[in-house]
Amino acid sequence: MAVNTESNTESREARMTEEPRTTPNFLRDMIAEDVRTKKYGEAVVQTRFPPEPNGYLHIGHAKAICLDFGLADEVGGRTNLRFDDTNPEKEEQEYVDSIQADVRWLGFEWERLCYASDYFGQLYEWALKLIRDGKAYVDDLTADEIRQYRGTLTEPGKNSPYRDRSVEENVDLFQRMKAGEFPDGARVLRAKIDMGSPNINLRDPIMYRILHAEHHRTGNEWCIYPMYDYAHGQSDSIEQVTHSMCTLEFADHQPLYKWFIESLGIFPSQQIEFDRLNLTYTMLSKRKLLQLVQEGRVSGWDDPRMPTLSGIRRRGFTPEALRSFCGYIGATRTNGITDIEVLEHFQRDDLNRRASRAMAVLRPLKLVITNCPEGETEYVEVQNNPEDPSAGTRQVPFSREVYIEQDDFREVPPPKYYRLSPGKEVRLRSAYFITAQSVVKDAEGNIIEVHCTYDPASRGGNSPDGRKVKSTMHWVSAAHAVGAEIRLYDKLFSKPDPFDFPEGGDLFDNLNPNSLEIVADAKLEPSLAGAKAGAPYQFERVGYFTPDRESTAEKLVFNRTLPLKDSWAKIEKKAGA
């Protein structure tokens, strides 16, 4: 399905005007040079994003998506979304749907939606050609025997006793494999390359295996399925992909990729490897992520602690921030690790510009303004976003009783504590100066109320006589507050390297026991009662939040995207950036 709409053009132009890139990207340079020299003639640059539909996409895929789609966009090229669906036992339509949603959420649209399964017929015919050319054979060795015959990194492999079957016998056996005459694992089709090659991938790799399993698209039409290393390059060639970008772990597979293309004499797609995205405190193994879900250690693939795109989207991350981050880190030929605080810096910077401000008290302490008239409500004007004057203002109710954070009052203040304490004057945001006078305690001695007075002349948060205060605090009118559940998310793992565990230990030993804290009865200003899922908010002095998909009018639920603290900005400042 070709897609070439005006909205796609507009979104492409919007992406190209985002924050300038600051890191070299050799892929961009290579593509620009290929365009300049017309390496592929008059053909446009064609890329593809080729996920396997066996799990949800994670943030590592975001980098690949931005490269595949973004670099093609820059030179007027095209990008296909292709599902490399060659393993029916692990693939599901749920994953196909989620991947499409994630790509679109990031802001990209594909030229064509393709599947490797679309090419099963062609791949089969090409396999027959390789057999007839004496470059492939049917092998009866078991999986364990094939591993034994393959050799090691320091020892060459040895030929299978079935390697020299005649072309006629191999064609007959392969056709019977396709017809379903043999059970799973009875035979495989292997490429005939070089069992003595120093590159183990060239030691007669398996091309097809017998698998009587229902495919999510082709049903039971096939009982033999191509291996990824065979299907991938030929799928690229069928789609005439000019730049097949993949991560560095596939570098040793490139000679095999070329061998198949050259042996078949088909369009020569070019494979190029780049560094994968690795983040501190983050684990990106799809197998391990699936284990987290299956074992109930998280609530699902879209748990806001998960590094999946659906998870971070639910947590409140924005596609604009992810694209800026991916542009910043660039692409190199050497794997490294990026501090997660770099990602968080880009997200805070984006939310600071776009998030509406609101006041929310997570751990409420009642404050009674004793000289404020009882039963009266007035409204104070508050900016919606000081970074965006066009966002305007809102009217927030103010009354005799308000909630403040428990941490914003100390009966006996420690040194350099500038918030509220007996006899100290502070500002309530956009409202009045107040001074604490006394406290009310329960039977256990816990403070349950603070009584104070306010200066009516300081309406709006400034005093006519010009006196200053050292602290400004957020608040919520008790009479108008709406209750909400607040989910405070933190890093899923407690160590920068989740795989750093002692012998006999396990990756999951490093799960952060404090990765989720639920605040059951926070108090929010009434404007948040109608907040829509996914809308970004900055709760002043607290952090960035977004309504969860489970949030309803009867029970508001907000997820913390990030706290306000930005240690990366401090690091950059110290470095003189």
Side-chain angles (χ1 to χ4, degrees):
M1 177 182 66
V3 178
N4 185 18
T5 66
E6 188 174 316
S7 62
N8 291 335
T9 302
E10 291 173 354
S11 63
R12 174 185 297 178
E13 291 174 351
R15 290 195 299 273
M16 295 174 67
T17 59
E18 288 174 6
E19 182 171 328
R21 302 169 201 87
T22 57
T23 305
N25 186 325
F26 81 94
L27 292 169
R28 176 180 294 107
D29 298 338
M30 176 182 290
I31 291 174
E33 179 65 11
D34 288 347
V35 170
R36 187 188 69 81
T37 60
K38 296 189 175 182
K39 180 175 181 177
Y40 293 94
E42 298 301 322
V44 300
V45 167
Q46 176 72 61
T47 64
R48 84 290 169 266
F49 175 59
E52 298 173 74
N54 58 5
Y56 280 62
L57 297 184
H58 55 61
I59 192 168
H61 294 110
K63 175 176 178 176
I65 292 169
C66 288
L67 290 171
D68 286 324
F69 286 88
L71 296 183
D73 276 358
E74 290 177 13
V75 294
R78 299 185 294 249
T79 304
N80 294 341
L81 172 60
R82 182 180 74 237
F83 291 97
D84 279 341
D85 53 345
T86 60
N87 190 350
E89 291 183 312
K90 294 185 178 181
E91 296 160 357
E92 298 179 18
Q93 186 63 38
E94 173 189 353
Y95 300 141
V96 171
D97 296 340
S98 73
I99 289 169
Q100 292 184 62
D102 286 342
V103 172
R104 286 190 167 118
W105 174 72
L106 268 177
F108 298 103
E109 187 61 72
W110 45 89
E111 179 73 15
R112 288 192 295 147
L113 181 62
C114 307
Y115 296 83
S117 55
D118 292 338
Y119 314 136
F120 279 176
Q122 178 64 77
L123 293 171
Y124 173 76
E125 292 300 324
W126 277 339
L128 284 173
K129 172 177 168 51
L130 291 175
I131 293 173
R132 293 183 175 118
D133 290 345
K135 295 181 178 181
Y137 64 97
V138 174
D139 195 356
D140 294 0
L141 291 178
T142 66
D144 286 340
E145 289 171 335
I146 288 175
R147 279 191 291 271
Q148 293 169 8
Y149 274 64
R150 183 172 289 126
T152 67
L153 291 173
T154 57
E155 297 179 357
K158 58 182 181 179
N159 290 347
S160 165
Y162 304 98
R163 196 174 195 265
D164 295 323
R165 276 175 162 154
S166 68
V167 168
E168 292 74 20
E169 185 179 5
N170 280 318
V171 168
D172 175 65
L173 287 172
F174 188 53
Q175 290 175 334
R176 291 166 63 191
M177 285 169 60
K178 177 180 181 294
E181 291 188 24
F182 310 118
D184 291 358
R187 290 185 164 92
V188 295
L189 181 70
R190 298 177 69 177
K192 186 185 291 187
I193 307 180
D194 181 6
M195 290 301 294
S197 173
N199 186 338
I200 291 182
N201 293 296
L202 296 179
R203 295 180 188 176
D204 291 10
I206 297 174
M207 296 169 56
Y208 273 89
R209 77 281 201 198
I210 301 171
L211 190 60
H212 293 81
E214 185 172 348
H215 190 277
H216 72 103
R217 293 189 71 243
T218 61
N220 294 306
E221 180 182 352
W222 294 86
C223 60
I224 57 171
Y225 289 94
M227 300 297 289
Y228 179 88
D229 274 348
Y230 172 63
H232 184 80
Q234 280 64 264
S235 297
D236 282 349
S237 183
I238 290 171
E239 296 170 23
Q240 298 205 328
V241 171
T242 57
H243 297 81
S244 175
M245 294 173 279
C246 58
T247 45
L248 284 169
E249 63 265 31
F250 291 99
D252 289 342
H253 298 245
Q254 186 180 130
L256 178 58
Y257 181 102
K258 289 182 177 179
W259 186 88
F260 280 126
I261 286 177
E262 291 171 357
S263 296
L264 292 168
I266 55 181
F267 180 83
S269 293
Q270 175 185 196
Q271 178 175 306
I272 316 156
E273 302 87 18
F274 63 90
D275 61 314
R276 65 183 301 163
L277 174 61
N278 294 303
L279 285 174
T280 57
Y281 297 97
T282 307
M283 184 270 294
L284 298 178
S285 162
K286 277 200 291 186
R287 182 173 61 86
K288 293 292 187 181
L289 292 175
L290 176 60
Q291 188 177 346
L292 283 172
V293 174
Q294 291 177 333
E295 294 181 0
R297 297 176 185 268
V298 293
S299 62
W301 283 100
D302 68 344
D303 187 301
R305 293 167 292 180
M306 290 278 274
T308 55
L309 295 185
S310 56
I312 63 177
R313 176 164 71 248
R314 184 177 174 187
R315 184 164 169 170
F317 276 63
T318 64
E320 294 83 359
L322 259 64
R323 293 200 301 266
S324 294
F325 167 70
C326 291
Y328 175 84
I329 61 177
T332 70
R333 294 184 184 272
T334 305
N335 278 327
I337 298 177
T338 301
D339 197 313
I340 196 170
E341 289 187 351
V342 181
L343 170 63
E344 292 175 352
H345 164 74
F346 276 91
Q347 186 55 76
R348 285 191 184 92
D349 185 64
D350 181 74
L351 288 174
N352 186 48
R353 292 194 300 265
R354 73 175 65 245
S356 298
R357 273 42 170 184
M359 290 192 285
V361 176
L362 271 56
R363 296 173 176 85
L365 172 63
K366 183 174 286 188
L367 189 152
V368 180
I369 306 170
T370 57
N371 63 333
C372 185
E374 291 190 46
E376 292 188 8
T377 300
E378 62 176 301
Y379 288 83
V380 297
E381 187 174 41
V382 183
Q383 278 187 298
N384 286 328
N385 188 339
E387 301 294 323
D388 179 12
S390 67
T393 61
R394 67 189 186 283
Q395 298 294 313
V396 177
F398 179 84
S399 59
R400 175 185 172 91
E401 295 183 355
V402 301
Y403 291 116
I404 62 170
E405 296 285 357
Q406 294 176 11
D407 285 346
D408 280 343
F409 178 80
R410 289 289 181 270
E411 186 176 19
V412 181
K416 297 184 179 180
Y417 184 81
Y418 299 121
R419 303 177 199 179
L420 191 61
S421 60
K424 183 171 288 185
E425 188 174 50
V426 300
R427 176 190 293 109
L428 294 182
R429 167 78 71 194
S430 302
Y432 294 97
F433 285 7
I434 62 168
T435 304
Q437 305 294 342
S438 61
V439 299
V440 177
K441 299 182 180 181
D442 62 16
E444 286 75 38
N446 301 307
I447 298 173
I448 57 174
E449 284 186 8
V450 176
H451 288 197
C452 66
T453 57
Y454 80 128
D455 177 5
S458 63
R459 178 179 168 82
N462 293 295
S463 175
D465 62 12
R467 71 183 187 276
K468 305 294 183 182
V469 293
K470 290 187 176 181
S471 182
T472 298
M473 305 184 332
H474 62 283
W475 52 275
V476 174
S477 169
H480 304 86
V482 293
E485 176 180 295
I486 306 294
R487 298 172 181 175
L488 300 176
Y489 290 101
D490 203 347
K491 298 175 180 66
L492 185 58
F493 289 92
S494 57
K495 286 188 176 182
D497 178 6
F499 290 92
D500 176 19
F501 52 83
E503 185 176 352
D506 185 84
L507 166 76
F508 298 142
D509 294 341
N510 289 329
L511 285 172
N512 178 10
N514 301 312
S515 62
L516 171 60
E517 177 187 358
I518 296 178
V519 178
D521 191 21
K523 304 298 183 181
L524 281 54
E525 67 171 74
S527 68
L528 291 169
K532 304 299 183 184
Y537 290 93
Q538 184 194 106
F539 290 176
E540 298 203 36
R541 301 177 62 236
V542 179
Y544 294 102
F545 293 78
T546 190
D548 187 71
R549 59 173 172 77
E550 296 177 351
S551 186
T552 64
E554 293 72 30
K555 182 183 179 181
L556 296 176
V557 178
F558 280 79
N559 299 328
R560 182 174 69 183
T561 307
L562 288 170
L564 290 179
K565 179 183 177 183
D566 189 349
S567 43
W568 177 251
K570 294 179 181 178
I571 293 171
E572 285 194 314
K573 186 175 181 180
K574 287 181 180 179

